[in-house]
Amino acid sequence: MGEEGTAGTVHLLCLAASSGVPLFCRSSRGGAPARQQLPFSVIGSLNGVHMFGQNLEVQLSSARTEDTTVVLLVGLEELTNIRNVERLKKELRASYRLIDSFLGDSELIGDLTQCVDCVVPPEGSLLQEALSGFAEAAGTAFGSLVVSGRVVAATESWWRLGTPEAVLLPWLVGSLPPQAARDYPVYLPHGSPTVPHRLLTLTLLPGLELCLLCGPRPPLSQLDPQLLDRWWQPVLDPLRACVPLGPRALPAGFPLHMDILGLLLLHLELKRCLFTVEPSGDQEPSPEQRRRLLRSFYTLVTATHFPPELGSPEEKVEDAAQRAQVPRACYLVSGPEEPGAGWRLVALQLGPRRLLLLLSSQSPTHGLRSLATHTLHALTPLL
């Protein structure tokens, strides 16, 4: 597999490792799908580089020119043992929308954080009770409510799904075109990479979908309108309140400081996150720029200041002294550090929670930590 960026265009190319046959190529320009495809000569060159390095037991991770970057990625083992290339190419078409959503300018961030994108519904306990009851009546322990690719509520078994399927399943649902009902075969990379499960989805309201992960049963026809009405009609108003939560993530009227332009809150133990760039939406920068700033800042602080994961198994006892030196907060000014110039980015970690804020240029740097601490305390009951 390879990825090449030229003049703002990103190409994702998947090749059969043994034969070099191209399986698919998806392109994106400026965050949107692009028709421009890689020429066959470039595909051949990428495969040649891969084969040359493989023969020498060398893995080439990237190659750069002045205006081009080529990145080679290792595919799943299942894709290296191909018996029927044409059949595999047809099967991979079902993944195109999901792949395109990763290449585009997504409103989600779970691909980077490996935490599930969530929203906070105003009456979450009622929705949780209805979801658990409906899932039990349908004969599965795995159920969730998803709005715009974000999880509103989920059963305990759904939350126990491993990474990356817990991130991928709602992202997949959000990437698909609207449909009243689906019966979608899915492989779980961690839990069941070789035997497909069934992902059943039912649209309760436009943009709000009920998702069930199950085996051969129940058939989709068993989820009839009577069963749906029994569990979801009593909570219709709380369901309606969830629809606008997609890009906002937080309940309407939740108090945030007027300088906050965007935020990312992660719970590193639960592997869940809240991500929004909706606050003060009438101010610069644009939502797309805000997302890019927060994504870049997350990458920076994770790589240089904070450990990537709290309490990871590979941590050793002798690292305790080093972990004690890990900073709890940091900030960055994206431009001149002068009054009225440069957006402020601040990160704060307390216990299992990490908060990243994008703040307006009017926010004084000496007050960043206090503002972040106050915001984190306000958000803690939500996640």
Side-chain angles (χ1 to χ4, degrees), residues 267-284:
H267 196 297
L268 301 177
E269 291 180 350
L270 298 179
K271 305 296 288 184
R272 305 176 198 175
C273 67
L274 300 174
F275 181 49
T276 180
V277 293
E278 287 289 298
S280 305
D282 56 340
Q283 299 183 31
E284 292 290 335

Side-chain angles (χ1 to χ4, degrees), residues 146-148 178 203-209 239-240 242-244:
V146 175
V147 59
S148 304
T203 298
L204 301 180
L205 292 170
L208 178 63
E209 299 188 67
L239 286 174
R240 289 194 178 111
C242 294
V243 175

Side-chain angles (χ1 to χ4, degrees), residues 130 133-140 202 204 210 212 218-234:
F134 181 85
E136 183 178 356
T140 179
L202 297 164
L204 301 180
L210 169 64
L212 300 175
L220 188 58
S221 58
Q222 182 178 318
L223 308 180
D224 53 42
Q226 290 79 13
L227 183 62
L228 288 169
D229 288 344
R230 173 188 170 191
W231 290 101
W232 299 110
Q233 189 65 36

